[in-house]
Amino acid sequence: FNRIANIVSTTGSKLSTTSAIKYVEYAESAWLLQRINNIAAKLAEKESNSKYYFTDNGILNLFLIDGNTSLLENLVAINLIRQFGKEDAVFFYNKGVEVDFYIPEEQWAIQVSYSLKDPETRKREVNALLKLAENVAVDDLCIITRDEEEMIVEGEKTIRVVPVWRWLLDDEG
């Protein structure tokens, strides 16, 4: 919320942190934003340690210059929320490593990356899922990309790399 207030303040308008919090609450009430909490956070931290996604990628696109990865992650978030429900079904994980989405009921973890062609990006995304698998119950590890598809085997774990179009059409995720 401080970051939002600071960004708005750089435009010459003043916005307090309290007002930023209220505007985000209003946007949530109007279904413009969807909140996902950190499953690794303590209960008191969950309210302040959340990620927000726009209900419509078109709104998000108004604020981006080159946001392919942001748009892809937003698309996945909104579809997961629609599939599993808004309250306490879809989370992200951030405790030493960040994983974009975790659905505990399905024991399913998802990373979103526009592409895995860059070796550093590939390593970061794969390692995040493997680290999560050490800390929580997870049966299905998945990386959703723009158009890449493969199976990555690391030790006893298999990570499915799925293009977003296939993931959206697949009933089972």
Side-chain angles (χ1 to χ4, degrees):
F1 298 111
N2 287 329
R3 185 172 169 221
I4 292 171
N6 290 337
I7 290 170
V8 171
S9 294
T10 62
T11 66
S13 301
K14 294 292 179 192
L15 180 69
S16 70
T17 302
T18 304
S19 294
I21 291 169
K22 286 292 183 197
Y23 283 122
V24 169
E25 288 174 358
Y26 298 149
E28 274 189 278
S29 295
W31 293 86
L32 293 173
L33 290 177
Q34 302 286 324
R35 176 195 315 229
I36 294 180
N37 292 318
N38 182 3
I39 195 156
K42 297 176 194 156
L43 188 59
E45 294 172 350
K46 282 188 180 179
E47 291 302 312
S48 62
N49 192 5
S50 300
K51 287 172 88 174
Y52 293 88
Y53 294 94
F54 284 91
T55 303
D56 185 333
N57 260 4
I59 297 170
L60 174 60
N61 199 37
L62 293 172
F63 302 105
L64 302 173
I65 294 170
D66 181 26
N68 290 331
T69 300
S70 297
L71 290 168
L72 185 62
E73 183 176 339
N74 197 78
L75 175 69
V76 171
I78 295 308
N79 278 281
L80 288 170
I81 292 167
R82 286 179 184 152
Q83 183 177 356
F84 294 104
K86 187 175 186 251
E87 297 296 322
D88 294 328
V90 179
F91 298 89
F92 72 98
Y93 181 90
N94 189 353
K95 188 173 182 182
V97 66
E98 185 171 334
V99 174
D100 296 326
F101 305 103
Y102 176 61
I103 299 93
E105 186 176 301
E106 303 289 322
Q107 294 188 350
W108 188 18
I110 299 171
Q111 283 289 75
V112 178
S113 180
Y114 194 76
S115 174
L116 294 178
K117 291 178 181 162
D118 175 53
E120 287 183 33
T121 301
R122 181 185 184 90
K123 182 178 179 182
R124 182 184 65 244
E125 302 294 352
V126 168
N127 287 343
L129 287 171
L130 295 174
K131 178 125 176 148
L132 173 79
E134 294 173 3
N135 296 307
V136 299
V138 63
D139 290 332
D140 189 0
L141 301 171
C142 180
I143 300 174
I144 298 174
T145 66
R146 178 180 176 265
D147 58 6
E148 297 165 34
E149 186 169 17
E150 68 176 293
M151 297 296 255
I152 300 171
V153 179
E154 292 282 336
E156 295 181 16
K157 296 291 183 186
T158 301
I159 300 171
R160 295 180 301 126
V161 178
V162 181
V164 66
W165 65 267
R166 184 178 307 278
W167 180 79
L168 288 168
L169 292 174
D170 189 2
D171 288 342
E172 298 174 12

